Amino acid sequence: MAQWTSAVGATQLARLLRSQDPRDAELAVGGRKLPAYRSLADGVRLLVLEGRIPVAARLPAERELAAALGVSRTTVAAAYEALRAEGFLESRRGSGSWTAVPAGSPLPTRGLEPLPPEAGGSMIDLGCAALPAPEPWLTRSIQGAMADLPLYAHTHGDYPAGLPVLRQALADRYTARGIPTMPEQIMVTTGAMGAVAAICRLCTSPGERVAVDSPSYANILQLMRDAGARLVPVALAERLAGWDIPAWRQVMRDAAPRMAYVVADFHNPTGALATEDQRRRMVDAARSAGTLLVVDETMTELRLDDDPQPPRPVCAFDPAGSSVITVGSASKAFWAGMRIGWVRAAPDIIRSLVAARAYSDLGSPVLEQLAIASLLDTGGWEQAVEIRRGEARENRDAIVGALRRELPDWEFTVPSGGLTLWVRTGGLSGSRIAEVGERLGVRVPSGPRFGVDGTFEGFVRLPFTVSGAVADEAASRLAAAARMVASGATVDADTRRAFVA
């Protein structure tokens, strides 16, 4: 059986290689460029490490790639042999060659855990993209919920599909966004994680392929791994340009994934925003391939810059919900402590999800559902979200400014929304920076947590959760960590005390 799960065509690989920074793709030794085969091998290796080519992707035959690049077949053969020797390529007669990572490379095995509040102290926690609750709207929503609670207290309290009042409010909100929706198309869940978990249980079996953005949200990737899914990564377009639709079409055709999980609006971790044309083409590709498209809208409310004509939701191109399942949540737009999410899909899919829920959590907390319904019905939701946008915008600008002062060699593109910044760490190991940084009192997740297969080692994710002097101090500690990683120094007790005392 072939060991690869997707394929990279010769023309596509040639385009990716030519798009690289010459300083990366053409390394120099003693003032001279490396041999052509070595430059080619290094270019492919860099594409794998940065996740622009997935691990377990079948590479084109030597003759095809040579023609696309305009080099000799001997050059390509030598490059492939070098990659095999370094552990970045595996081959089998009759199955071709596919990308790999060297044995012993750290693979992502955990999601992201919040730092316990009592452990905060002198630690600057940039691990989780979550902000404090917007007040007074949290308190007012709970007060409104308490006023309505007696109407439900005489019932058993289990509503597997969600409270009718909240299902109606969410359906009305989609309708107001231009996607006519009935309450029968909504199921309320315990957060977005609960929604995705329910969809995975219903729609996939262990061993089935699920295509995902690369990079993607660490906790969802771990959830799917635990469910037994075979994850097939698809690289995002460069510089927050959304999805690479030709790559998605090829993966859907070659790997035939049962399901795809994507984030169209202010992607986590990159902040990318898919264009309206990309959304239309993605839905067409999924429908043609028979792939169920699960779209996470957790960040969709967090538009930080003015956009006179934002793209329509992905479900606008499949309003009946037969090919697109939409997941929403109150956690990012309002407060992570309000564990309320939802699913929008075709009524028959919702009925199946509700029926299967009897074997999991039965339903979401009534009080929290009433609180979200109160926010939506009174206009408090829009006011709270506006507060959240202002906080995130201020924090984004603060962390961007601090990074540019303290770490000018680090590269990133500033997103127009969301809560996260995806940062290339100047050729240093993101895993080592995360390790040293925590000892210096700043906690950040490294890039490999957001990849499927050990890629993105040269990245870290920074959320928009601090501002002012705290953002400056976070950048200062990261700069110190970067210097220590670059020099190979270790963190002794005196150095640690200097930062976290």
Side-chain angles (χ1 to χ4, degrees):
M1 182 178 68
Q3 302 299 304
W4 47 275
T5 58
S6 59
V8 180
T11 302
Q12 179 188 6
L13 180 53
R15 174 176 56 81
L16 290 170
L17 288 165
R18 288 171 180 142
S19 72
Q20 290 177 319
D21 188 326
R23 293 171 298 178
D24 295 329
E26 297 181 354
L27 302 179
V29 175
R32 294 182 302 169
K33 289 183 179 180
L34 292 173
Y37 86 89
R38 184 68 261 176
S39 181
L40 174 56
D42 287 343
V44 173
R45 175 178 54 82
L46 185 63
L47 290 172
V48 172
L49 288 174
E50 293 195 343
R52 297 180 68 193
I53 295 178
V55 171
R58 188 178 188 273
L59 294 187
E62 295 169 1
R63 190 185 305 277
E64 294 174 357
L65 184 56
L69 290 173
V71 300
S72 71
R73 183 177 177 182
T74 302
T75 296
V76 177
Y80 277 17
E81 182 57 37
L83 290 166
R84 276 190 288 269
E86 296 163 3
F88 287 95
L89 196 68
E90 295 181 8
S91 303
R92 177 174 295 177
R93 187 179 298 276
S95 297
S97 299
W98 56 92
T99 55
V101 290
S105 296
L107 295 179
T109 56
R110 296 184 297 148
L112 305 174
E113 308 86 17
L115 187 70
E118 64 273 12
S122 56
M123 179 70 71
I124 301 174
D125 184 14
L126 299 180
C128 293
L131 292 166
E135 288 287 20
W137 307 111
L138 174 63
T139 297
R140 291 180 182 176
S141 70
I142 297 298
Q143 290 171 342
M146 291 295 293
D148 293 335
L149 187 60
L151 297 174
Y152 298 88
H154 68 279
T155 73
H156 51 61
D158 288 332
Y159 293 85
L163 293 183
V165 64
L166 181 54
R167 296 177 76 193
Q168 182 67 61
L170 292 169
D172 290 345
R173 188 164 184 80
Y174 278 105
T175 300
R177 294 170 67 191
I179 307 101
T181 302
M182 305 178 293
E184 291 80 8
Q185 291 178 264
I186 301 292
M187 181 178 84
V188 180
T189 63
T190 306
M193 291 288 290
V196 176
I199 295 166
C200 285
R201 284 194 299 268
L202 177 68
C203 300
T204 66
S205 300
E208 283 194 300
R209 291 171 178 167
V210 176
V212 295
D213 293 326
S214 183
S216 189
Y217 178 41
N219 287 347
I220 292 293
L221 294 179
Q222 189 59 36
L223 182 156
M224 291 180 175
R225 290 188 195 99
D226 291 344
R230 295 177 62 192
L231 300 180
V232 181
V234 186
L236 292 171
E238 285 287 282
R239 298 193 177 278
L240 309 190
W243 293 316
D244 184 337
I245 297 300
W248 269 101
R249 285 191 181 278
Q250 185 167 359
V251 164
M252 288 180 181
R253 182 183 67 243
D254 295 342
R258 173 71 184 91
M259 188 175 89
Y261 169 81
V262 296
V263 185
D265 297 279
F266 313 120
H267 178 267
N268 186 355
T270 68
L273 178 68
T275 67
E276 181 151 327
D277 182 61
Q278 288 171 342
R279 296 167 193 239
R280 179 185 295 105
R281 293 165 65 196
M282 177 71 91
V283 173
D284 290 343
R287 185 181 292 119
S288 298
T291 297
L292 188 65
L293 191 62
V294 178
V295 180
D296 190 334
E297 285 194 339
T298 301
M299 297 281 192
T300 193
E301 301 269 13
L302 295 175
R303 186 176 304 278
L304 306 185
D305 296 335
D306 292 335
D307 187 342
Q309 193 171 2
R312 287 178 289 171
V314 178
C315 58
F317 305 100
D318 178 46
S322 56
S323 297
V324 175
I325 297 181
T326 302
V327 171
S329 172
S331 65
K332 303 301 184 186
F334 187 68
W335 186 44
M338 192 72 77
R339 303 305 305 161
I340 296 297
W342 53 87
V343 176
R344 181 197 182 277
D348 62 318
I349 294 176
I350 294 296
R351 286 193 294 270
S352 297
L353 287 169
V354 171
R357 197 171 190 180
Y359 308 103
S360 56
D361 65 354
L362 291 177
S364 301
V366 170
L367 187 65
E368 282 86 341
Q369 291 188 72
L370 288 172
I372 297 300
S374 174
L375 284 168
L376 293 171
D377 288 343
T378 62
W381 178 271
E382 284 76 11
Q383 293 168 308
V385 167
E386 195 57 40
I387 292 174
R388 175 67 77 237
R389 289 189 184 120
E391 291 173 338
R393 187 183 302 112
E394 177 184 345
N395 293 352
R396 179 198 62 181
D397 296 345
I399 197 67
V400 164
L403 286 175
R404 285 175 172 163
R405 287 192 302 272
E406 297 286 344
L407 290 154
D409 292 339
W410 285 19
E411 301 173 38
F412 52 84
T413 300
V414 181
S416 61
L419 284 174
T420 57
L421 192 68
W422 185 238
V423 183
R424 189 197 303 258
T425 53
L428 300 176
S429 163
S431 297
R432 286 286 295 137
I433 289 172
E435 178 186 356
V436 175
E438 189 150 2
R439 296 179 186 176
L440 298 180
V442 58
R443 185 172 181 259
V444 298
S446 61
R449 288 183 175 234
F450 303 90
V452 169
D453 36 40
T455 54
F456 304 113
E457 182 57 52
F459 292 83
V460 294
R461 188 197 75 170
L462 302 179
F464 309 147
T465 54
V466 295
S467 65
V470 180
D472 292 338
E473 181 62 21
S476 175
R477 295 182 186 187
L478 285 172
R483 289 192 296 270
M484 298 189 77
V485 170
S487 66
T490 58
V491 182
D492 57 27
D494 290 338
T495 303
R496 176 175 171 79
R497 278 195 295 270
F499 283 93
V500 302

